[in-house]
PDB file of all heavy atoms in Angstrom:
ATOM      1  N   PRO A   4     103.121 115.006 104.984  1.00  0.00           N
ATOM      2  CA  PRO A   4     101.997 115.210 105.923  1.00  0.00           C
ATOM      3  C   PRO A   4     100.638 114.925 105.356  1.00  0.00           C
ATOM      4  O   PRO A   4     100.386 115.152 104.130  1.00  0.00           O
ATOM      5  CB  PRO A   4     102.095 116.745 106.309  1.00  0.00           C
ATOM      6  CG  PRO A   4     102.868 117.345 105.087  1.00  0.00           C
ATOM      7  CD  PRO A   4     103.765 116.225 104.610  1.00  0.00           C
ATOM      8  N   ALA A   5      99.738 114.523 106.132  1.00  0.00           N
ATOM      9  CA  ALA A   5      98.349 114.462 105.835  1.00  0.00           C
ATOM     10  C   ALA A   5      97.712 115.750 106.254  1.00  0.00           C
ATOM     11  O   ALA A   5      98.122 116.339 107.251  1.00  0.00           O
ATOM     12  CB  ALA A   5      97.609 113.303 106.510  1.00  0.00           C
ATOM     13  N   LEU A   6      96.799 116.279 105.513  1.00  0.00           N
ATOM     14  CA  LEU A   6      96.224 117.564 105.729  1.00  0.00           C
ATOM     15  C   LEU A   6      94.728 117.500 106.104  1.00  0.00           C
ATOM     16  O   LEU A   6      94.036 116.479 105.896  1.00  0.00           O
ATOM     17  CB  LEU A   6      96.238 118.418 104.411  1.00  0.00           C
ATOM     18  CG  LEU A   6      97.724 118.521 103.877  1.00  0.00           C
ATOM     19  CD1 LEU A   6      97.694 119.273 102.587  1.00  0.00           C
ATOM     20  CD2 LEU A   6      98.673 119.271 104.823  1.00  0.00           C
ATOM     21  N   TYR A   7      94.282 118.544 106.742  1.00  0.00           N
ATOM     22  CA  TYR A   7      92.835 118.681 107.158  1.00  0.00           C
ATOM     23  C   TYR A   7      91.912 118.313 105.939  1.00  0.00           C
ATOM     24  O   TYR A   7      92.120 118.720 104.855  1.00  0.00           O
ATOM     25  CB  TYR A   7      92.494 120.055 107.639  1.00  0.00           C
ATOM     26  CG  TYR A   7      91.053 120.294 107.826  1.00  0.00           C
ATOM     27  CD1 TYR A   7      90.356 119.629 108.729  1.00  0.00           C
ATOM     28  CD2 TYR A   7      90.461 121.246 106.997  1.00  0.00           C
ATOM     29  CE1 TYR A   7      88.942 119.794 108.828  1.00  0.00           C
ATOM     30  CE2 TYR A   7      89.120 121.518 107.145  1.00  0.00           C
ATOM     31  CZ  TYR A   7      88.383 120.781 108.097  1.00  0.00           C
ATOM     32  OH  TYR A   7      87.057 121.018 108.174  1.00  0.00           O
ATOM     33  N   ASP A   8      90.895 117.465 106.260  1.00  0.00           N
ATOM     34  CA  ASP A   8      89.843 117.141 105.317  1.00  0.00           C
ATOM     35  C   ASP A   8      90.290 116.157 104.307  1.00  0.00           C
ATOM     36  O   ASP A   8      89.470 115.830 103.393  1.00  0.00           O
ATOM     37  CB  ASP A   8      89.112 118.375 104.735  1.00  0.00           C
ATOM     38  CG  ASP A   8      87.709 118.009 104.252  1.00  0.00           C
ATOM     39  OD1 ASP A   8      87.052 117.281 105.041  1.00  0.00           O
ATOM     40  OD2 ASP A   8      87.296 118.527 103.263  1.00  0.00           O
ATOM     41  N   GLU A   9      91.525 115.694 104.286  1.00  0.00           N
ATOM     42  CA  GLU A   9      91.954 114.672 103.315  1.00  0.00           C
ATOM     43  C   GLU A   9      91.315 113.329 103.749  1.00  0.00           C
ATOM     44  O   GLU A   9      91.253 113.022 104.925  1.00  0.00           O
ATOM     45  CB  GLU A   9      93.478 114.490 103.259  1.00  0.00           C
ATOM     46  CG  GLU A   9      94.164 115.559 102.369  1.00  0.00           C
ATOM     47  CD  GLU A   9      95.608 115.186 102.209  1.00  0.00           C
ATOM     48  OE1 GLU A   9      96.270 114.878 103.218  1.00  0.00           O
ATOM     49  OE2 GLU A   9      96.051 115.337 101.019  1.00  0.00           O
ATOM     50  N   LEU A  10      90.886 112.578 102.799  1.00  0.00           N
ATOM     51  CA  LEU A  10      90.443 111.208 102.984  1.00  0.00           C
ATOM     52  C   LEU A  10      91.592 110.294 102.794  1.00  0.00           C
ATOM     53  O   LEU A  10      92.153 110.245 101.722  1.00  0.00           O
ATOM     54  CB  LEU A  10      89.240 110.905 102.042  1.00  0.00           C
ATOM     55  CG  LEU A  10      88.667 109.520 102.224  1.00  0.00           C
ATOM     56  CD1 LEU A  10      87.901 109.473 103.584  1.00  0.00           C
ATOM     57  CD2 LEU A  10      87.670 109.230 101.180  1.00  0.00           C
ATOM     58  N   LEU A  11      92.018 109.674 103.822  1.00  0.00           N
ATOM     59  CA  LEU A  11      93.122 108.855 103.860  1.00  0.00           C
ATOM     60  C   LEU A  11      92.697 107.330 103.653  1.00  0.00           C
ATOM     61  O   LEU A  11      91.665 106.933 104.221  1.00  0.00           O
ATOM     62  CB  LEU A  11      93.946 108.876 105.140  1.00  0.00           C
ATOM     63  CG  LEU A  11      94.433 110.312 105.467  1.00  0.00           C
ATOM     64  CD1 LEU A  11      95.249 110.350 106.766  1.00  0.00           C
ATOM     65  CD2 LEU A  11      95.273 110.906 104.366  1.00  0.00           C
ATOM     66  N   VAL A  12      93.488 106.520 103.027  1.00  0.00           N
ATOM     67  CA  VAL A  12      93.240 105.066 103.008  1.00  0.00           C
ATOM     68  C   VAL A  12      94.379 104.493 103.918  1.00  0.00           C
ATOM     69  O   VAL A  12      95.548 104.726 103.726  1.00  0.00           O
ATOM     70  CB  VAL A  12      93.461 104.580 101.588  1.00  0.00           C
ATOM     71  CG1 VAL A  12      93.383 103.038 101.554  1.00  0.00           C
ATOM     72  CG2 VAL A  12      92.397 105.154 100.680  1.00  0.00           C
ATOM     73  N   ILE A  13      93.945 103.729 104.896  1.00  0.00           N
ATOM     74  CA  ILE A  13      94.876 102.976 105.763  1.00  0.00           C
ATOM     75  C   ILE A  13      94.792 101.501 105.401  1.00  0.00           C
ATOM     76  O   ILE A  13      93.711 100.947 105.477  1.00  0.00           O
ATOM     77  CB  ILE A  13      94.559 103.210 107.287  1.00  0.00           C
ATOM     78  CG1 ILE A  13      94.744 104.706 107.579  1.00  0.00           C
ATOM     79  CG2 ILE A  13      95.593 102.424 108.099  1.00  0.00           C
ATOM     80  CD1 ILE A  13      93.531 105.517 107.481  1.00  0.00           C
ATOM     81  N   ARG A  14      95.868 101.028 104.944  1.00  0.00           N
ATOM     82  CA  ARG A  14      95.991  99.596 104.566  1.00  0.00           C
ATOM     83  C   ARG A  14      96.713  98.840 105.691  1.00  0.00           C
ATOM     84  O   ARG A  14      97.878  99.119 106.060  1.00  0.00           O
ATOM     85  CB  ARG A  14      96.700  99.433 103.209  1.00  0.00           C
ATOM     86  CG  ARG A  14      96.805  97.999 102.680  1.00  0.00           C
ATOM     87  CD  ARG A  14      97.496  98.046 101.355  1.00  0.00           C
ATOM     88  NE  ARG A  14      97.874  96.755 100.912  1.00  0.00           N
ATOM     89  CZ  ARG A  14      97.239  96.031 100.123  1.00  0.00           C
ATOM     90  NH1 ARG A  14      96.112  96.606  99.605  1.00  0.00           N
ATOM     91  NH2 ARG A  14      97.479  94.859  99.746  1.00  0.00           N
ATOM     92  N   ALA A  15      96.040  97.823 106.213  1.00  0.00           N
ATOM     93  CA  ALA A  15      96.661  96.995 107.284  1.00  0.00           C
ATOM     94  C   ALA A  15      96.837  95.557 106.790  1.00  0.00           C
ATOM     95  O   ALA A  15      95.863  95.000 106.084  1.00  0.00           O
ATOM     96  CB  ALA A  15      95.665  96.882 108.547  1.00  0.00           C
ATOM     97  N   CYS A  16      98.032  95.062 106.890  1.00  0.00           N
ATOM     98  CA  CYS A  16      98.408  93.753 106.314  1.00  0.00           C
ATOM     99  C   CYS A  16      98.924  92.800 107.357  1.00  0.00           C
ATOM    100  O   CYS A  16      99.927  93.135 108.058  1.00  0.00           O
ATOM    101  CB  CYS A  16      99.385  93.842 105.143  1.00  0.00           C
ATOM    102  SG  CYS A  16      98.705  94.676 103.723  1.00  0.00           S
ATOM    103  N   LEU A  17      98.418  91.684 107.422  1.00  0.00           N
ATOM    104  CA  LEU A  17      98.912  90.636 108.304  1.00  0.00           C
ATOM    105  C   LEU A  17      99.694  89.693 107.274  1.00  0.00           C
ATOM    106  O   LEU A  17      99.075  89.019 106.451  1.00  0.00           O
ATOM    107  CB  LEU A  17      97.719  89.857 108.896  1.00  0.00           C
ATOM    108  CG  LEU A  17      98.004  88.778 109.868  1.00  0.00           C
ATOM    109  CD1 LEU A  17      98.824  89.275 111.035  1.00  0.00           C
ATOM    110  CD2 LEU A  17      96.672  88.093 110.332  1.00  0.00           C
ATOM    111  N   LYS A  18     101.077  89.812 107.425  1.00  0.00           N
ATOM    112  CA  LYS A  18     101.886  89.117 106.407  1.00  0.00           C
ATOM    113  C   LYS A  18     102.222  87.633 106.765  1.00  0.00           C
ATOM    114  O   LYS A  18     102.789  86.871 106.042  1.00  0.00           O
ATOM    115  CB  LYS A  18     103.102  89.908 106.139  1.00  0.00           C
ATOM    116  CG  LYS A  18     102.763  91.167 105.418  1.00  0.00           C
ATOM    117  CD  LYS A  18     103.949  91.949 105.084  1.00  0.00           C
ATOM    118  CE  LYS A  18     103.633  93.143 104.281  1.00  0.00           C
ATOM    119  NZ  LYS A  18     104.746  93.968 103.873  1.00  0.00           N
ATOM    120  N   SER A  19     102.005  87.257 108.081  1.00  0.00           N
ATOM    121  CA  SER A  19     102.311  85.869 108.473  1.00  0.00           C
ATOM    122  C   SER A  19     101.241  85.368 109.455  1.00  0.00           C
ATOM    123  O   SER A  19     100.603  86.239 110.083  1.00  0.00           O
ATOM    124  CB  SER A  19     103.735  85.833 109.099  1.00  0.00           C
ATOM    125  OG  SER A  19     103.739  86.621 110.259  1.00  0.00           O
ATOM    126  N   LEU A  20     101.035  84.116 109.418  1.00  0.00           N
ATOM    127  CA  LEU A  20     100.066  83.525 110.344  1.00  0.00           C
ATOM    128  C   LEU A  20     100.589  83.709 111.785  1.00  0.00           C
ATOM    129  O   LEU A  20     101.733  83.409 112.127  1.00  0.00           O
ATOM    130  CB  LEU A  20      99.976  81.995 110.014  1.00  0.00           C
ATOM    131  CG  LEU A  20      98.843  81.243 110.719  1.00  0.00           C
ATOM    132  CD1 LEU A  20      97.510  81.801 110.236  1.00  0.00           C
ATOM    133  CD2 LEU A  20      98.960  79.792 110.368  1.00  0.00           C
ATOM    134  N   PRO A  21      99.766  84.348 112.656  1.00  0.00           N
ATOM    135  CA  PRO A  21     100.178  84.574 113.989  1.00  0.00           C
ATOM    136  C   PRO A  21     100.306  83.377 114.801  1.00  0.00           C
ATOM    137  O   PRO A  21      99.571  82.365 114.646  1.00  0.00           O
ATOM    138  CB  PRO A  21      99.152  85.559 114.514  1.00  0.00           C
ATOM    139  CG  PRO A  21      97.897  85.323 113.701  1.00  0.00           C
ATOM    140  CD  PRO A  21      98.361  84.799 112.325  1.00  0.00           C
ATOM    141  N   GLU A  22     101.242  83.506 115.715  1.00  0.00           N
ATOM    142  CA  GLU A  22     101.403  82.396 116.679  1.00  0.00           C
ATOM    143  C   GLU A  22     101.143  82.884 118.085  1.00  0.00           C
ATOM    144  O   GLU A  22     100.092  82.769 118.611  1.00  0.00           O
ATOM    145  CB  GLU A  22     102.786  81.681 116.579  1.00  0.00           C
ATOM    146  CG  GLU A  22     103.056  80.900 115.339  1.00  0.00           C
ATOM    147  CD  GLU A  22     104.342  80.321 115.284  1.00  0.00           C
ATOM    148  OE1 GLU A  22     105.015  80.172 116.231  1.00  0.00           O
ATOM    149  OE2 GLU A  22     104.751  79.910 114.050  1.00  0.00           O
ATOM    150  N   ILE A  23     102.059  83.741 118.616  1.00  0.00           N
ATOM    151  CA  ILE A  23     101.901  84.397 119.838  1.00  0.00           C
ATOM    152  C   ILE A  23     101.740  85.881 119.583  1.00  0.00           C
ATOM    153  O   ILE A  23     101.094  86.585 120.289  1.00  0.00           O
ATOM    154  CB  ILE A  23     103.070  84.138 120.863  1.00  0.00           C
ATOM    155  CG1 ILE A  23     102.989  82.686 121.215  1.00  0.00           C
ATOM    156  CG2 ILE A  23     103.000  84.949 122.064  1.00  0.00           C
ATOM    157  CD1 ILE A  23     104.210  82.191 122.026  1.00  0.00           C
ATOM    158  N   LYS A  24     102.426  86.293 118.536  1.00  0.00           N
ATOM    159  CA  LYS A  24     102.463  87.821 118.181  1.00  0.00           C
ATOM    160  C   LYS A  24     101.508  87.983 116.964  1.00  0.00           C
ATOM    161  O   LYS A  24     101.469  87.238 116.094  1.00  0.00           O
ATOM    162  CB  LYS A  24     103.881  88.194 117.820  1.00  0.00           C
ATOM    163  CG  LYS A  24     104.781  88.051 118.994  1.00  0.00           C
ATOM    164  CD  LYS A  24     106.174  88.330 118.515  1.00  0.00           C
ATOM    165  CE  LYS A  24     107.199  87.797 119.668  1.00  0.00           C
ATOM    166  NZ  LYS A  24     108.527  87.813 119.129  1.00  0.00           N
ATOM    167  N   LEU A  25     100.951  89.189 117.013  1.00  0.00           N
ATOM    168  CA  LEU A  25     100.148  89.662 115.844  1.00  0.00           C
ATOM    169  C   LEU A  25     100.973  90.822 115.242  1.00  0.00           C
ATOM    170  O   LEU A  25     101.013  91.937 115.754  1.00  0.00           O
ATOM    171  CB  LEU A  25      98.777  90.134 116.321  1.00  0.00           C
ATOM    172  CG  LEU A  25      97.756  90.517 115.243  1.00  0.00           C
ATOM    173  CD1 LEU A  25      97.479  89.392 114.309  1.00  0.00           C
ATOM    174  CD2 LEU A  25      96.456  90.981 115.920  1.00  0.00           C
ATOM    175  N   ASP A  26     101.552  90.571 114.103  1.00  0.00           N
ATOM    176  CA  ASP A  26     102.491  91.503 113.485  1.00  0.00           C
ATOM    177  C   ASP A  26     101.840  92.168 112.278  1.00  0.00           C
ATOM    178  O   ASP A  26     101.519  91.421 111.270  1.00  0.00           O
ATOM    179  CB  ASP A  26     103.761  90.805 113.065  1.00  0.00           C
ATOM    180  CG  ASP A  26     104.882  91.642 112.652  1.00  0.00           C
ATOM    181  OD1 ASP A  26     104.795  92.862 112.764  1.00  0.00           O
ATOM    182  OD2 ASP A  26     105.954  91.170 112.196  1.00  0.00           O
ATOM    183  N   ILE A  27     101.528  93.408 112.347  1.00  0.00           N
ATOM    184  CA  ILE A  27     100.725  94.044 111.321  1.00  0.00           C
ATOM    185  C   ILE A  27     101.507  95.255 110.729  1.00  0.00           C
ATOM    186  O   ILE A  27     102.059  96.126 111.428  1.00  0.00           O
ATOM    187  CB  ILE A  27      99.428  94.584 111.847  1.00  0.00           C
ATOM    188  CG1 ILE A  27      98.577  93.414 112.402  1.00  0.00           C
ATOM    189  CG2 ILE A  27      98.556  95.274 110.768  1.00  0.00           C
ATOM    190  CD1 ILE A  27      97.342  93.773 113.120  1.00  0.00           C
ATOM    191  N   ASP A  28     101.560  95.259 109.350  1.00  0.00           N
ATOM    192  CA  ASP A  28     102.133  96.375 108.662  1.00  0.00           C
ATOM    193  C   ASP A  28     101.075  97.310 108.170  1.00  0.00           C
ATOM    194  O   ASP A  28      99.955  96.838 107.750  1.00  0.00           O
ATOM    195  CB  ASP A  28     102.907  95.878 107.404  1.00  0.00           C
ATOM    196  CG  ASP A  28     104.236  95.144 107.835  1.00  0.00           C
ATOM    197  OD1 ASP A  28     104.797  95.416 108.845  1.00  0.00           O
ATOM    198  OD2 ASP A  28     104.676  94.298 107.031  1.00  0.00           O
ATOM    199  N   TYR A  29     101.384  98.575 108.160  1.00  0.00           N
ATOM    200  CA  TYR A  29     100.442  99.584 107.700  1.00  0.00           C
ATOM    201  C   TYR A  29     100.985 100.502 106.592  1.00  0.00           C
ATOM    202  O   TYR A  29     102.217 100.802 106.624  1.00  0.00           O
ATOM    203  CB  TYR A  29     100.002 100.531 108.840  1.00  0.00           C
ATOM    204  CG  TYR A  29      99.545  99.819 110.138  1.00  0.00           C
ATOM    205  CD1 TYR A  29     100.386  99.455 111.113  1.00  0.00           C
ATOM    206  CD2 TYR A  29      98.197  99.500 110.276  1.00  0.00           C
ATOM    207  CE1 TYR A  29      99.988  98.791 112.161  1.00  0.00           C
ATOM    208  CE2 TYR A  29      97.709  98.794 111.351  1.00  0.00           C
ATOM    209  CZ  TYR A  29      98.668  98.425 112.364  1.00  0.00           C
ATOM    210  OH  TYR A  29      98.191  97.781 113.462  1.00  0.00           O
ATOM    211  N   GLU A  30     100.187 100.941 105.711  1.00  0.00           N
ATOM    212  CA  GLU A  30     100.501 101.960 104.760  1.00  0.00           C
ATOM    213  C   GLU A  30      99.330 102.959 104.740  1.00  0.00           C
ATOM    214  O   GLU A  30      98.164 102.551 104.640  1.00  0.00           O
ATOM    215  CB  GLU A  30     100.623 101.340 103.310  1.00  0.00           C
ATOM    216  CG  GLU A  30     101.835 100.382 103.251  1.00  0.00           C
ATOM    217  CD  GLU A  30     101.889  99.633 101.958  1.00  0.00           C
ATOM    218  OE1 GLU A  30     100.892  99.669 101.144  1.00  0.00           O
ATOM    219  OE2 GLU A  30     102.894  99.027 101.618  1.00  0.00           O
ATOM    220  N   VAL A  31      99.700 104.178 104.689  1.00  0.00           N
ATOM    221  CA  VAL A  31      98.647 105.298 104.656  1.00  0.00           C
ATOM    222  C   VAL A  31      98.929 106.072 103.352  1.00  0.00           C
ATOM    223  O   VAL A  31     100.078 106.537 103.069  1.00  0.00           O
ATOM    224  CB  VAL A  31      98.730 106.198 105.896  1.00  0.00           C
ATOM    225  CG1 VAL A  31      97.688 107.252 105.779  1.00  0.00           C
ATOM    226  CG2 VAL A  31      98.584 105.369 107.133  1.00  0.00           C
ATOM    227  N   TYR A  32      97.737 106.271 102.576  1.00  0.00           N
ATOM    228  CA  TYR A  32      97.876 107.047 101.283  1.00  0.00           C
ATOM    229  C   TYR A  32      96.772 108.200 101.361  1.00  0.00           C
ATOM    230  O   TYR A  32      95.719 107.990 102.006  1.00  0.00           O
ATOM    231  CB  TYR A  32      97.588 106.166 100.109  1.00  0.00           C
ATOM    232  CG  TYR A  32      98.575 105.035  99.947  1.00  0.00           C
ATOM    233  CD1 TYR A  32      98.404 103.751 100.545  1.00  0.00           C
ATOM    234  CD2 TYR A  32      99.701 105.289  99.170  1.00  0.00           C
ATOM    235  CE1 TYR A  32      99.342 102.843 100.380  1.00  0.00           C
ATOM    236  CE2 TYR A  32     100.686 104.286  99.031  1.00  0.00           C
ATOM    237  CZ  TYR A  32     100.445 103.114  99.634  1.00  0.00           C
ATOM    238  OH  TYR A  32     101.478 102.087  99.529  1.00  0.00           O
ATOM    239  N   ASN A  33      97.074 109.272 100.657  1.00  0.00           N
ATOM    240  CA  ASN A  33      96.157 110.312 100.557  1.00  0.00           C
ATOM    241  C   ASN A  33      95.205 110.077  99.326  1.00  0.00           C
ATOM    242  O   ASN A  33      95.336 109.016  98.635  1.00  0.00           O
ATOM    243  CB  ASN A  33      96.766 111.699 100.586  1.00  0.00           C
ATOM    244  CG  ASN A  33      97.609 111.971  99.359  1.00  0.00           C
ATOM    245  OD1 ASN A  33      97.587 111.228  98.399  1.00  0.00           O
ATOM    246  ND2 ASN A  33      98.449 112.989  99.360  1.00  0.00           N
ATOM    247  N   GLN A  34      94.346 111.072  98.993  1.00  0.00           N
ATOM    248  CA  GLN A  34      93.405 110.863  97.917  1.00  0.00           C
ATOM    249  C   GLN A  34      94.091 110.771  96.560  1.00  0.00           C
ATOM    250  O   GLN A  34      93.511 110.286  95.622  1.00  0.00           O
ATOM    251  CB  GLN A  34      92.460 112.060  97.981  1.00  0.00           C
ATOM    252  CG  GLN A  34      91.472 112.048  99.123  1.00  0.00           C
ATOM    253  CD  GLN A  34      90.705 113.328  99.289  1.00  0.00           C
ATOM    254  OE1 GLN A  34      90.983 114.136 100.117  1.00  0.00           O
ATOM    255  NE2 GLN A  34      89.739 113.520  98.458  1.00  0.00           N
ATOM    256  N   GLN A  35      95.235 111.337  96.468  1.00  0.00           N
ATOM    257  CA  GLN A  35      96.056 111.267  95.185  1.00  0.00           C
ATOM    258  C   GLN A  35      96.885 109.989  95.159  1.00  0.00           C
ATOM    259  O   GLN A  35      97.763 109.856  94.291  1.00  0.00           O
ATOM    260  CB  GLN A  35      96.856 112.524  95.076  1.00  0.00           C
ATOM    261  CG  GLN A  35      96.223 113.771  94.806  1.00  0.00           C
ATOM    262  CD  GLN A  35      95.610 114.319  96.158  1.00  0.00           C
ATOM    263  OE1 GLN A  35      96.081 114.228  97.168  1.00  0.00           O
ATOM    264  NE2 GLN A  35      94.426 114.921  96.020  1.00  0.00           N
ATOM    265  N   ASN A  36      96.735 109.055  96.102  1.00  0.00           N
ATOM    266  CA  ASN A  36      97.414 107.773  96.189  1.00  0.00           C
ATOM    267  C   ASN A  36      98.925 107.986  96.479  1.00  0.00           C
ATOM    268  O   ASN A  36      99.712 107.181  96.099  1.00  0.00           O
ATOM    269  CB  ASN A  36      97.149 106.919  94.928  1.00  0.00           C
ATOM    270  CG  ASN A  36      97.407 105.509  95.314  1.00  0.00           C
ATOM    271  OD1 ASN A  36      97.077 105.048  96.364  1.00  0.00           O
ATOM    272  ND2 ASN A  36      97.884 104.802  94.321  1.00  0.00           N
ATOM    273  N   LYS A  37      99.215 109.197  97.100  1.00  0.00           N
ATOM    274  CA  LYS A  37     100.606 109.413  97.441  1.00  0.00           C
ATOM    275  C   LYS A  37     100.833 108.875  98.853  1.00  0.00           C
ATOM    276  O   LYS A  37      99.981 109.045  99.741  1.00  0.00           O
ATOM    277  CB  LYS A  37     100.955 110.949  97.446  1.00  0.00           C
ATOM    278  CG  LYS A  37     100.917 111.426  96.024  1.00  0.00           C
ATOM    279  CD  LYS A  37     101.400 112.849  95.941  1.00  0.00           C
ATOM    280  CE  LYS A  37     101.297 113.308  94.449  1.00  0.00           C
ATOM    281  NZ  LYS A  37     101.700 114.772  94.369  1.00  0.00           N
ATOM    282  N   PRO A  38     101.994 108.255  99.095  1.00  0.00           N
ATOM    283  CA  PRO A  38     102.251 107.693 100.510  1.00  0.00           C
ATOM    284  C   PRO A  38     102.422 108.752 101.510  1.00  0.00           C
ATOM    285  O   PRO A  38     103.188 109.741 101.327  1.00  0.00           O
ATOM    286  CB  PRO A  38     103.545 106.870 100.237  1.00  0.00           C
ATOM    287  CG  PRO A  38     104.122 107.451  99.061  1.00  0.00           C
ATOM    288  CD  PRO A  38     103.116 108.007  98.198  1.00  0.00           C
ATOM    289  N   ILE A  39     101.706 108.609 102.583  1.00  0.00           N
ATOM    290  CA  ILE A  39     101.785 109.522 103.742  1.00  0.00           C
ATOM    291  C   ILE A  39     102.719 108.976 104.781  1.00  0.00           C
ATOM    292  O   ILE A  39     103.586 109.649 105.252  1.00  0.00           O
ATOM    293  CB  ILE A  39     100.432 109.774 104.272  1.00  0.00           C
ATOM    294  CG1 ILE A  39      99.484 110.389 103.404  1.00  0.00           C
ATOM    295  CG2 ILE A  39     100.455 110.614 105.602  1.00  0.00           C
ATOM    296  CD1 ILE A  39      99.827 111.763 102.894  1.00  0.00           C
ATOM    297  N   CYS A  40     102.531 107.691 105.146  1.00  0.00           N
ATOM    298  CA  CYS A  40     103.457 107.073 106.112  1.00  0.00           C
ATOM    299  C   CYS A  40     103.315 105.581 105.972  1.00  0.00           C
ATOM    300  O   CYS A  40     102.354 105.013 105.342  1.00  0.00           O
ATOM    301  CB  CYS A  40     103.199 107.505 107.489  1.00  0.00           C
ATOM    302  SG  CYS A  40     101.786 106.880 108.269  1.00  0.00           S
ATOM    303  N   LYS A  41     104.187 104.894 106.604  1.00  0.00           N
ATOM    304  CA  LYS A  41     104.129 103.394 106.727  1.00  0.00           C
ATOM    305  C   LYS A  41     104.481 103.121 108.139  1.00  0.00           C
ATOM    306  O   LYS A  41     105.203 103.824 108.837  1.00  0.00           O
ATOM    307  CB  LYS A  41     104.931 102.599 105.705  1.00  0.00           C
ATOM    308  CG  LYS A  41     106.433 102.835 105.857  1.00  0.00           C
ATOM    309  CD  LYS A  41     107.064 102.040 104.722  1.00  0.00           C
ATOM    310  CE  LYS A  41     108.619 102.104 104.949  1.00  0.00           C
ATOM    311  NZ  LYS A  41     109.289 101.349 103.929  1.00  0.00           N
ATOM    312  N   GLY A  42     104.052 101.907 108.607  1.00  0.00           N
ATOM    313  CA  GLY A  42     104.270 101.580 109.981  1.00  0.00           C
ATOM    314  C   GLY A  42     104.122 100.101 110.287  1.00  0.00           C
ATOM    315  O   GLY A  42     103.722  99.374 109.349  1.00  0.00           O
ATOM    316  N   ASN A  43     104.327  99.720 111.492  1.00  0.00           N
ATOM    317  CA  ASN A  43     104.168  98.376 111.933  1.00  0.00           C
ATOM    318  C   ASN A  43     103.789  98.420 113.500  1.00  0.00           C
ATOM    319  O   ASN A  43     104.399  99.174 114.200  1.00  0.00           O
ATOM    320  CB  ASN A  43     105.485  97.643 111.739  1.00  0.00           C
ATOM    321  CG  ASN A  43     105.450  96.188 112.310  1.00  0.00           C
ATOM    322  OD1 ASN A  43     105.658  95.981 113.485  1.00  0.00           O
ATOM    323  ND2 ASN A  43     105.060  95.277 111.503  1.00  0.00           N
ATOM    324  N   SER A  44     102.949  97.520 113.815  1.00  0.00           N
ATOM    325  CA  SER A  44     102.657  97.398 115.271  1.00  0.00           C
ATOM    326  C   SER A  44     102.775  95.829 115.512  1.00  0.00           C
ATOM    327  O   SER A  44     102.340  95.012 114.665  1.00  0.00           O
ATOM    328  CB  SER A  44     101.251  97.909 115.703  1.00  0.00           C
ATOM    329  OG  SER A  44     100.204  97.165 115.120  1.00  0.00           O
TER     330      SER A  44
END
């Protein structure tokens, strides 16, 4: 979990040149650089 008042880093990566779809991977880290979650849209 991420906690109240934590400063999170959200990293968004476009790993391939888009054609019709925009495929983005995400990684979220807390201030201690511990992974909070990862995702994709």
Side-chain angles (χ1 to χ4, degrees):
L6 306 173
Y7 166 65
D8 204 39
E9 278 190 313
L10 184 63
L11 303 179
V12 175
I13 298 92
R14 181 179 170 97
C16 292
L17 184 60
K18 293 186 175 177
S19 61
L20 191 63
E22 292 182 17
I23 294 173
K24 300 172 191 165
L25 186 61
D26 191 6
I27 301 173
D28 289 333
Y29 306 92
E30 296 174 343
V31 179
Y32 296 92
N33 65 13
Q34 291 169 256
Q35 292 76 38
N36 204 34
K37 292 185 179 176
I39 299 296
C40 76
K41 65 180 183 176
N43 174 274
S44 67

